[in-house]
Amino acid sequence: MQGPGLDPARALAQISTQWDGDIVRQLSDYIRIPAKSPGFDADWAQHGFIDAAVRHAAQWVEAQKVPDLQLEVVRLPGRTPVIFFEIAATRSGGSGQTVVMYGHLDKQPEFDGWRADLGPWTPKYEDGKLYGRGGADDGYAVYAAIAAVQALKSQSVPHPRIVGLIETSEESGSPDLLPYIDALRSRLGDVGLVVCLDSGAGNYDQLWLTTSLRGMVSGNLKVEVLTEGVHSGDASGLVPSSFRILRQVLDRLEDSATGHLLPASFHCDIPPERLAQAKATADILGDDLFKRFPWVHHDCGGREQSVLPMSDDPVEALLARTWRPTLSVTGAEGLPSLKDAGNVLRPFTTFKLSLRLPPLVDGAQAAQQLKQLLEDNAPYQARVTFESHGGATGWNAPSSAPWFAQALDAASQAHFGAPCGHIGQGGTIPLMSQLSAGFPSAQMMVCGVLGPRSNAHGPNEFLHVPYAKRLTAAVAEVIGRMP
Ligand code: BES
Ligand code: MN
Ligand code: MN
C-alpha cells in the first residue's frame, strides 16, 4: 500500500531553503573546477580536475548523512570515475523496483564570447541565475537528486530503493560508462524508473518531460593534397584546393542549399504520438521557440533585418531540431587565423564534424556508413580520412504508464501551476538508449534545466535556480508516487 503522500508546499519550501543556503554555494565551487571531459582534455587524469569535481560532490553527499545511503566512488583502470550511491527502500510493499538517478560531472570546453564580467570558471549568481560552465550541464543533477530524496525522508514518505549513477565522460560520448554498468549491473536491481536530470526545458513555467533525444556521430574529416604549403599564385589551378575537395565530399552528405542530409539511412519516421505532442508544444511555445536563439540583426540598405530560421513553422521547427539529421562543423585545422594567413595554397584542411541523428537511427551503424561515404573514391585521389570519435544512439521514450503520466502532471501542477509539457530534445545523452534497451519496462523521467538562453556548451551558461528548485520538488513528488 502506498503511504501518505508528500505535502508539496512543505517539500518545495525545504528544497528552496536548501538550494539558497547550500546548493548554490556548492555549485559555485564546482563551477571553479575546469573538469573538462576527456575528449577535451587528454591529460584529465594528470590534471586531476575530474577527480576534484567527483570528490567535491561525493563529500557533500556524504555530509548530508542521508539515512541508509551508501556512496562509492568507483574507478576502473584507465577510465573516468563514477559516483555510485544506493539508498535502501523505506517501504515494504510496492513493486520492489529500483529508481536510477543519473547525471554527469564532466564539462564542455570554455568556448568564447563570455560577457566581460563572466567566465567559464568564475561563478556569478545574479537574478536567480548561476552563471558558469557546468552548473546547468550538469553539475546540479547530483544535488537535486539527493535533495529530492531528503524531502521525501523529512516527511517520512515511504520511497522505493534508489540508486545514483553520476558519470564523468558524458561530454565525450560516455565511452567509459558501459564497463561500469556491467560491473554495477547486479546493484542496479530491477529498474522501474529512471530519473535523468541532464535534459532540457521548453520554458521555465512548467515541468517538461523529454520525449526523445537525438543520437550523434562526430569525428575529424581531413583532406590532404600536399606535404607542405606553397605559393597560392604559383600552384592554384594546378594543385586542387583541399577546401574544394572537402566541399565536394560534404556534398555527398548534405544538400548545402537546404541542409537536408542525403543518405536515407540517416532518417527515420516520426511516430504519430510525437507529431501530436509537437503540435501541442508549438501551441504553448509559439514564437518563443525562435526567440530562444541569439540571432544576428543587421542593417541591409537602411532596413533592419534578422537572420531567418530554416523554417518559420513552429511544428516543423520543433521536429527538425529533434527528429531530423543535421550536420554541423564545430572546428577546423589547417586554416591559419586571418592575421597570419599569407597567400598560401594550404596542404590540408580538417573539419570537425558533428552529425546529429534522429532518435531511432543506430549510432554505431551510422558512424560506419559515414566513414565509407566520406572516404571512398576521393576526388583527385586526395588522401581523405574520417577519424570517427564513435557514434551514440538517440532515444525515444517508452509510452508512459498511467501512474507516471499522472505523477508528472500532479508534480507540474503542484509546483508550477501548469500541466507537464512534452518536448523532444536535439541533444544527446548516450546512456538513455542503453538504459531503455536494458530495462524496456522502466519509465523514464528525463528532465532538466536547459531551457531558453541557458546556453550549455556556449558562453554565459546559466543555471536557472528557481526552475531547478521546482524541478527538484517535482522529482520528489514523482518518486513518492511510484507504485
Ligand atoms: N545535457 C546534454 C544533452 C542535452 C542538451 C539534452 C540539450 C537536452 C537538451 C549533454 O550533456 C550533452 O551535451 N551531450 C552531448 C553528447 C555527445 C558528446 C555524444 C551532446 O549532445 O553534444
Ligand atoms: Mn549534460
Ligand atoms: Mn552537454
Side-chain angles (χ1 to χ4, degrees):
M1 275 305 289
Q2 201 157 342
L6 268 182
D7 172 345
R10 249 179 79 202
L12 183 58
Q14 173 183 329
I15 285 164
S16 181
T17 303
Q18 191 178 7
W19 269 92
D20 293 337
D22 186 11
I23 297 178
V24 168
R25 194 152 30 92
Q26 296 298 324
L27 283 171
S28 301
D29 293 343
Y30 168 72
I31 285 169
R32 287 189 192 93
I33 307 172
K36 285 194 267 187
S37 199
F40 308 102
D41 182 3
D43 297 326
W44 64 269
Q46 237 188 355
H47 288 155
F49 297 128
I50 287 206
D51 247 1
V54 161
R55 269 185 281 114
H56 181 258
Q59 272 168 20
W60 179 84
V61 174
E62 299 272 31
Q64 302 310 297
K65 307 233 177 300
V66 176
D68 301 319
L69 181 148
Q70 295 213 349
L71 179 146
E72 194 184 326
V73 176
V74 194
R75 295 168 197 279
L76 293 174
R79 300 196 179 267
T80 48
V82 158
I83 297 178
F84 185 72
F85 61 79
E86 284 184 77
I87 307 167
T90 54
R91 61 182 199 193
S92 41
S95 61
Q97 288 187 310
T98 297
V99 180
V100 175
M101 303 182 101
Y102 168 82
H104 66 90
L105 290 169
D106 57 316
K107 307 185 186 190
Q108 284 275 318
E110 297 86 339
F111 210 72
D112 52 20
W114 288 76
R115 223 170 68 190
D117 60 325
L118 299 175
W121 320 123
T122 48
K124 185 165 189 176
Y125 191 36
E126 181 186 281
D127 296 334
K129 300 184 183 89
L130 179 59
Y131 290 91
R133 176 65 78 236
D137 185 12
D138 182 43
Y140 85 101
V142 59
Y143 300 93
I146 294 291
V149 175
Q150 288 172 297
L152 286 161
K153 286 193 176 287
S154 66
Q155 291 189 36
S156 304
V157 175
H159 62 75
R161 179 171 176 274
I162 298 167
V163 306
L165 188 65
I166 308 296
E167 65 147 319
T168 56
S169 68
E170 196 275 345
E171 297 290 3
S172 307
S174 298
D176 292 343
L177 195 52
L178 267 190
Y180 285 104
I181 302 272
D182 284 340
L184 296 168
R185 176 91 53 194
S186 62
R187 292 159 76 185
L188 290 182
D190 173 17
V191 179
L193 174 67
V194 173
V195 178
C196 167
L197 296 176
D198 187 32
S199 194
N203 58 31
Y204 298 109
D205 305 325
Q206 61 204 105
L207 180 63
W208 287 93
L209 180 70
T210 301
T211 54
S212 66
L213 295 160
R214 281 196 286 190
M216 161 159 145
V217 179
S218 65
N220 297 335
L221 175 61
K222 184 170 192 178
V223 176
E224 296 167 272
V225 294
L226 294 173
T227 57
E228 61 192 21
V230 296
H231 192 292
S232 63
D234 184 62
S236 62
L238 191 160
V239 178
S241 146
S242 62
F243 183 75
R244 186 167 62 83
I245 293 172
L246 202 145
R247 284 172 58 186
Q248 265 182 272
V249 168
L250 288 181
D251 280 345
R252 300 170 178 177
L253 177 61
E254 183 201 44
D255 176 346
S256 66
T258 60
H260 176 80
L261 291 207
L262 300 172
S265 59
F266 292 175
H267 294 257
C268 75
D269 289 335
I270 305 177
E273 190 187 6
R274 299 290 172 249
L275 263 170
Q277 287 166 333
K279 285 181 185 146
T281 299
D283 284 341
I284 297 171
L285 298 180
D287 267 1
D288 287 352
L289 250 178
F290 302 104
K291 289 187 194 141
R292 70 186 269 157
F293 298 104
W295 302 98
V296 164
H297 296 270
H298 57 111
D299 180 90
C300 177
R303 218 162 35 84
E304 167 86 4
Q305 62 179 28
S306 161
V307 174
L308 297 174
M310 290 164 73
S311 162
D312 58 12
D313 173 47
V315 177
E316 170 53 29
L318 274 171
L319 294 174
R321 64 186 275 282
T322 55
W323 281 92
R324 295 203 225 292
T326 50
L327 174 67
S328 303
V329 176
T330 57
E333 267 175 22
L335 292 157
S337 67
L338 299 181
K339 69 172 175 36
D340 295 326
N343 285 321
V344 179
L345 192 143
R346 297 173 300 96
F348 71 93
T349 308
T350 309
F351 276 5
K352 188 167 185 174
L353 305 184
S354 163
L355 182 73
R356 296 287 169 178
L357 298 167
L360 303 176
V361 172
D362 183 86
Q365 266 177 31
Q368 265 190 355
Q369 288 168 355
L370 182 61
K371 185 175 171 67
Q372 212 172 47
L373 179 79
L374 298 172
E375 287 185 351
D376 282 1
N377 300 313
Y380 302 98
Q381 295 179 37
R383 181 192 280 163
V384 176
T385 49
F386 181 66
E387 221 187 276
S388 171
H389 306 146
T393 302
W395 170 79
N396 182 37
S399 56
S400 289
W403 80 264
F404 185 55
Q406 279 160 22
L408 289 167
D409 248 330
S412 190
Q413 287 293 356
H415 295 298
F416 296 91
C420 177
H422 297 81
I423 193 166
Q425 293 292 343
T428 306
I429 307 172
L431 180 65
M432 292 308 110
S433 69
Q434 293 157 16
L435 280 181
S436 264
F439 304 99
S441 63
Q443 296 293 290
M444 307 273 291
M445 184 179 181
V446 180
C447 294
V449 295
L450 301 178
R453 304 272 165 166
S454 55
N455 222 25
H457 300 197
N460 313 324
E461 172 181 350
F462 67 70
L463 172 67
H464 192 293
V465 173
Y467 191 82
K469 291 173 174 176
R470 291 174 198 279
L471 175 58
T472 305
V475 169
E477 185 69 35
V478 171
I479 292 177
R481 287 169 177 260
M482 186 179 164

